[in-house]
Amino acid sequence: MPLKIGIVGSERQCLLLLDLLADQDELGVCAALPLPQEPLAAKRFGAHRALVAASWEDFVARGPEAVFSFLPPSDLPPDWPPAGVELVSYHTTHAVSSLLSLLSRQLNQCEEQRVKYLSALNSVTEGIQIMNEAGIIEYINPAFSKITGIHPAERIGTNVFQVSPDGAAARVLMSGKAATGVRNQAVGSCADVISNGAPIFMAGTLRGAVVAFQEVTDIIRLSEELSTTKELVESLSRELGAAKYSFADMIGANRKLLAAINLSKRAAKNDSTVLITGESGTGKEIVANAIHHASPRWNKPFITVNCASIPEALLESELFGHEKGAFTGAHKAKAGKFELANGGTIFLDEIGDLSSNTQAKLLRVLQEKEVERIGSNHRQAVNVKILAATNRNLQSMVAEGLFRQDLYYRLQVINVTLPPLRERKDDIPLLVDHFLRRICQESGRSSLQMAETCLELLLAHSWPGNVRELQNVLTRAVTICDGDALLPGNFRFLSSGAAPETVPGEEPILPLHEMEKAMVVRALRKYGWSTAGKRSAARELGIALGTLYYKIKQYQLGK
C-alpha cells in the first residue's frame, strides 16, 4: 500500500509538490490544504482538485500518514501533529532526513528515477553522500564539499570504512538499518558533523546507503525550501525531458512528407547526425522529437536548445557549462546541455543563428566528442546523438562566409527536408480533421463540422506560416464560432492569397519583407519587449519564440 501523504502550504507550494509526487507509486497524496483558504481555490488545482481539503478538520479526516508542511511550527494548530501522523516540516533540522527516507523508497522503484533524485540532492544545503553496498563512495553533493572542504575527486571512489569508519554510513551498511544522530569527524576534514543515514534496498537486497549531515556549529536552516523545490521541478523538466512527439504526430499522406518521414525513421536507428531543414512552421521540432522517440536512446534525456533565443553571451555557457567563478555571476558550477544530454539526444534548433566563435567550439565537440566547461581545463567525454534544425539556407551562408563549411558537412550527414504546406495542400483535409478534433477537445466543446466552402478557402490560401499557421487559423475560427459548424464567415480574417483587384484610394501593396517587419513591430509595440511580451507577440504572430528573436535580429529592431 502506498504511504498516504498530506500537503500544507500556499497554493503554489501545494501544486508544486502535487506535480512532483504525481507519478510516484510508493507515495499517494490524499489531501492538500492550500492557505490562506479561498472558496474557489479547488478550481485552480485542475486534475488535483479532488485532493483539496476544505478545512483543517477535513484534512485530518482524509487520513494522511505523513504531512509535508511548508509552514513554520508557530503557524500550525496547537494540537498538531495528530496522533499517528508523521510531520515532515521543511522548517526543522529533521526535514532532509525525513525527505531522504522517502527518496530512498523511490530509489527502489527503478534505476531511471535515481537521476531525478540526484538532482534533488544537488539542490539541498545538507551534505549528502551515496555509496554502494561495498562502501565505495559514488556521489557527494556540492554541500558536502562546502562543509568538509573535501573536493569530490578526493572522496569519490574511496571506501567509507576507511575514511569514516565510525560514521552513519558504516553503521547503515553493517546493520542494514537507518542510523540517526551520529556525531563524528570524517578523515581529512576538521568539520564536526551530525549524520543521518538510510539503507538503499533494491528487490529486497541491500545495494548501498545514503547519508545526510549537518555541521554541528552551524546547523543549516531550510527557510528557502520553496525556492529549492521550484528549482528542482524546473531542473527535472529541463534535464530529464522526454520526447513530446512521435512519428504518429506527423499528419499527412503527401509523397514529399512521407519521404521525409521514412528518411527520419531510418536516421533514428543509428547515431548519425541529422540536419532538419524547412520553413518555419513545417514541423521540424516534431520530427526531432520523433527521431529521439524512435531511437535506441528513447529512455535517455532529450535536451532542446533554441540557439536563436539565448543571448550570444550566455549561449556558450548553456551549451558547454561553466565552473564556479568562471565569470561574473557564476556563483556555482553548472553542467552544460551537452553534459545533461549525455547518453541521449541533443536538439540544436535554429542552428543557423550560431556565431562563428560558437560554431568553432561546436565543431570541436562533434569531432572529439568531448566538452570543456568555461573556466575548466578538464575535458569530459559525451555520448550524444545530435539533431540540428534551421529554416535558413546553410549552403548560401557557407558561400557568404557566415557558416563554417566543415561544420555544415559534419551536421548534414543525413539531411531531412520538410516540404512547406503550399507544396502538400492535399494534406490540408487530414490536418484540418486532426486539428479540429484536438482543438474542440482541449476547449471542452462538442465536435464541429465544417462547410465545404470553408475547405475551399483553406486550399486557396498560400500558408506562409505553414502547418503552425493552419493550426492557429483553426483555433481562431473555433473560438469565434457560435454554432455547431464552421462557416465561411468564421474565416473572414483569412486572405485567400489571390491577387485583389485594384481599388482607387486603397493603400499600395508592400513587399512581403516590409509587411512582415511592420507586423513584428506592431506586435512588439502591443505586448512589449519583455520576455513575456515577446512570448505573447510570437503567439499572436503564429511563430515560435526563437523565430521572433531571429526576426528582431534580421530587421535590426530595438526598443
Side-chain angles (χ1 to χ4, degrees), residues 436 445-451 454 477-478 480-491:
L436 278 183
R445 63 183 301 169
S446 57
S447 59
L448 291 173
Q449 301 298 318
M450 189 170 73
C454 294
V478 170
I480 64 178
C481 177
D482 295 325
D484 55 2
L486 291 174
L487 302 173
N490 299 126
F491 295 92

Side-chain angles (χ1 to χ4, degrees), residues 467-514:
V467 178
R468 185 185 294 118
E469 182 188 1
L470 174 61
Q471 181 180 359
N472 291 342
V473 164
L474 291 172
T475 300
R476 181 173 177 179
V478 170
T479 301
I480 64 178
C481 177
D482 295 325
D484 55 2
L486 291 174
L487 302 173
N490 299 126
F491 295 92
R492 191 176 294 114
F493 59 90
L494 180 67
S495 169
S496 67
E501 296 181 3
T502 302
V503 178
E506 73 175 0
E507 294 183 2
I509 296 176
L510 296 175
L512 284 176
H513 70 277
E514 290 187 16

Side-chain angles (χ1 to χ4, degrees), residues 344-515:
T345 304
I346 188 167
F347 173 42
L348 304 175
D349 199 7
E350 305 289 358
I351 197 167
D353 290 87
L354 290 181
S355 68
S356 57
N357 181 53
T358 308
Q359 289 178 33
K361 295 186 177 183
L362 176 59
L363 177 64
R364 186 171 66 245
V365 174
L366 292 175
Q367 292 173 333
E368 302 176 7
K369 301 186 184 305
E370 293 179 336
V371 294
E372 182 178 314
R373 292 184 181 181
I374 299 174
S376 171
N377 295 322
H378 172 70
R379 293 187 179 184
Q380 178 176 331
V382 290
N383 172 24
V384 296
K385 180 179 178 68
I386 297 178
L387 308 177
T390 182
N391 58 7
R392 307 177 71 178
N393 188 328
L394 293 188
Q395 282 186 309
S396 298
M397 294 180 66
V398 169
E400 296 170 7
L402 300 176
F403 200 85
R404 293 181 65 104
Q405 186 178 51
D406 44 6
L407 176 59
Y408 172 69
Y409 288 123
R410 281 276 182 177
L411 290 173
Q412 76 142 12
V413 176
I414 298 177
N415 187 190
V416 175
T417 301
L418 297 178
L421 186 56
R422 63 181 175 276
E423 294 181 8
R424 47 180 286 234
K425 287 191 174 183
D426 48 325
D427 283 339
I428 288 180
L430 294 174
L431 290 166
V432 168
D433 180 67
H434 169 75
F435 286 134
L436 278 183
R437 279 189 284 106
R438 192 169 79 180
I439 294 167
C440 290
Q441 182 179 10
E442 291 175 351
S443 60
R445 63 183 301 169
S446 57
S447 59
L448 291 173
Q449 301 298 318
M450 189 170 73
E452 188 67 27
T453 49
C454 294
L455 185 59
E456 293 174 1
L457 284 174
L458 298 180
L459 290 171
H461 190 58
S462 60
W463 301 110
N466 295 293
V467 178
R468 185 185 294 118
E469 182 188 1
L470 174 61
Q471 181 180 359
N472 291 342
V473 164
L474 291 172
T475 300
R476 181 173 177 179
V478 170
T479 301
I480 64 178
C481 177
D482 295 325
D484 55 2
L486 291 174
L487 302 173
N490 299 126
F491 295 92
R492 191 176 294 114
F493 59 90
L494 180 67
S495 169
S496 67
E501 296 181 3
T502 302
V503 178
E506 73 175 0
E507 294 183 2
I509 296 176
L510 296 175
L512 284 176
H513 70 277
E514 290 187 16
M515 182 175 293

Side-chain angles (χ1 to χ4, degrees), residues 209-433:
V210 55
V211 173
F213 63 84
Q214 299 168 312
E215 194 170 5
V216 175
T217 57
D218 185 22
I219 296 179
I220 301 171
R221 301 295 179 183
L222 300 177
S223 60
E224 300 298 326
E225 189 58 34
L226 173 60
S227 176
T228 301
T229 304
K230 179 181 178 181
E231 291 175 5
L232 168 61
V233 173
E234 293 174 348
S235 173
L236 294 178
S237 90
R238 280 195 314 269
E239 299 178 17
L240 301 178
K244 298 182 292 185
Y245 306 104
S246 67
F247 285 114
D249 295 298
M250 296 294 295
I251 308 300
N254 177 268
R255 178 178 55 82
K256 291 183 179 180
L257 179 68
L258 293 180
I261 292 175
N262 290 333
L263 179 58
S264 300
K265 289 180 177 178
R266 292 196 294 271
K269 297 178 181 178
N270 56 54
D271 289 338
S272 298
T273 302
V274 181
L275 177 62
I276 308 168
T277 56
E279 297 177 7
S280 293
T282 50
K284 298 185 290 297
E285 181 182 358
I286 295 178
V287 171
N289 276 261
I291 290 175
H292 175 74
H293 184 271
S295 76
R297 300 170 181 259
W298 65 270
N299 60 341
K300 301 299 181 182
F302 178 72
I303 304 297
T304 298
V305 183
N306 190 304
C307 302
S309 64
I310 302 174
E312 174 61 28
L314 300 178
L315 184 57
E316 183 179 346
S317 171
E318 284 291 315
L319 289 175
F320 311 121
H322 63 257
E323 295 294 341
K324 180 179 179 181
F327 50 82
T328 303
H331 301 301
K332 59 181 179 179
K334 177 183 177 182
K337 300 299 187 184
F338 274 92
E339 289 183 62
L340 298 178
N342 196 22
T345 304
I346 188 167
F347 173 42
L348 304 175
D349 199 7
E350 305 289 358
I351 197 167
D353 290 87
L354 290 181
S355 68
S356 57
N357 181 53
T358 308
Q359 289 178 33
K361 295 186 177 183
L362 176 59
L363 177 64
R364 186 171 66 245
V365 174
L366 292 175
Q367 292 173 333
E368 302 176 7
K369 301 186 184 305
E370 293 179 336
V371 294
E372 182 178 314
R373 292 184 181 181
I374 299 174
S376 171
N377 295 322
H378 172 70
R379 293 187 179 184
Q380 178 176 331
V382 290
N383 172 24
V384 296
K385 180 179 178 68
I386 297 178
L387 308 177
T390 182
N391 58 7
R392 307 177 71 178
N393 188 328
L394 293 188
Q395 282 186 309
S396 298
M397 294 180 66
V398 169
E400 296 170 7
L402 300 176
F403 200 85
R404 293 181 65 104
Q405 186 178 51
D406 44 6
L407 176 59
Y408 172 69
Y409 288 123
R410 281 276 182 177
L411 290 173
Q412 76 142 12
V413 176
I414 298 177
N415 187 190
V416 175
T417 301
L418 297 178
L421 186 56
R422 63 181 175 276
E423 294 181 8
R424 47 180 286 234
K425 287 191 174 183
D426 48 325
D427 283 339
I428 288 180
L430 294 174
L431 290 166
V432 168
D433 180 67

